[in-house]
Amino acid sequence: MLFRSAGEDRRRALRSVIMGRYFEPLRIYLKGSSYRHLAESAELVSAFFVSRFARDDYLDAWAASGMTLRRWLINGLILSMREEVRRRRRAARRGLHGGGELRDGEDGPVDPLELLESPEPEAEAAFERAWAVSILREACEEVFEGLRARFGYSKKTSWESLVFLRSVAI
């Protein structure tokens, strides 16, 4: 109920922060997973966010789950990919385009969508690295903004200069 009871501006801001922080790590996660062949990873992550954040109760369910947000989003992304695989299978059975191509293999008909499994451990490690980098980037931006506010540095000032000037100013 926390998220649903927040005002629309607050919900929009929270969704924006989550998407900004987790988009790239989730994209990298997909690129390292067996789901990488479904579509472009950026498209899949965008579709995931749109479908999940269309529901106001999505983040309330996360809060009630006791999971970390990282784990909740990865689980949600995997579920979203499995839903996409099922959608494509149904479309393929109906003969519609957009489903996996059904072709004959040595042992009979092969549905490439059947080959998709849950993402590999390497994909999770890649996600964790990308998430750490995104957090570090965000922290660096906050440090830069603090330095800019305190010392008047511009965006054109290099980080090396900022660190040097900061150490000299102390």
Side-chain angles (χ1 to χ4, degrees):
M1 294 302 280
L2 295 171
F3 188 71
R4 275 191 282 187
S5 64
E8 182 57 35
D9 289 342
R10 178 91 171 111
R11 288 194 308 264
R12 188 177 300 118
L14 183 56
R15 286 188 299 254
S16 179
V17 166
I18 291 170
M19 288 185 291
R21 185 172 289 166
Y22 287 97
F23 182 87
E24 188 64 12
L26 289 171
R27 190 188 70 75
I28 288 171
Y29 181 79
L30 275 178
K31 286 183 73 153
S33 77
S34 56
Y35 294 112
R36 67 184 161 270
H37 301 293
L38 287 176
E40 290 294 321
S41 58
E43 292 174 20
L44 293 169
V45 173
S46 294
F48 162 70
F49 278 136
V50 166
S51 71
R52 294 326 192 245
F53 287 158
R55 300 182 352 225
D56 282 343
D57 68 336
Y58 187 70
L59 291 175
D60 284 332
W62 159 67
S65 76
M67 290 183 197
T68 64
L69 184 56
R70 292 191 323 266
R71 173 55 40 203
W72 179 259
L73 292 173
I74 289 173
N75 289 352
L77 185 63
I78 292 169
L79 180 60
S80 177
M81 295 304 98
R82 289 178 179 165
E83 290 167 356
E84 177 63 15
V85 167
R86 282 193 297 274
R87 184 196 66 75
R88 289 182 184 201
R89 281 189 186 131
R90 285 191 302 271
R93 280 194 289 267
R94 288 188 302 249
L96 302 174
H97 296 292
E101 289 183 21
L102 299 175
R103 64 184 192 281
D104 291 333
E106 293 176 5
D107 298 325
V110 175
D111 179 356
L113 297 176
E114 288 290 335
L115 302 175
L116 294 175
E117 299 172 3
S118 295
E120 300 80 24
E122 294 83 16
E124 191 162 338
F127 169 85
E128 292 294 336
R129 282 190 302 275
W131 178 78
V133 167
S134 75
I135 294 298
L136 183 58
R137 263 193 205 117
E138 193 174 313
C140 288
E141 277 297 315
E142 286 184 29
V143 167
F144 176 81
E145 289 303 318
L147 289 172
R148 185 186 59 73
R150 185 167 179 197
F151 299 109
Y153 294 127
S154 70
K155 286 279 189 187
K156 294 179 183 174
T157 307
S158 70
W159 276 103
E160 293 83 6
S161 298
L162 288 174
V163 170
F164 175 75
L165 292 172
R166 178 66 177 125
S167 65
V168 170
I170 294 175

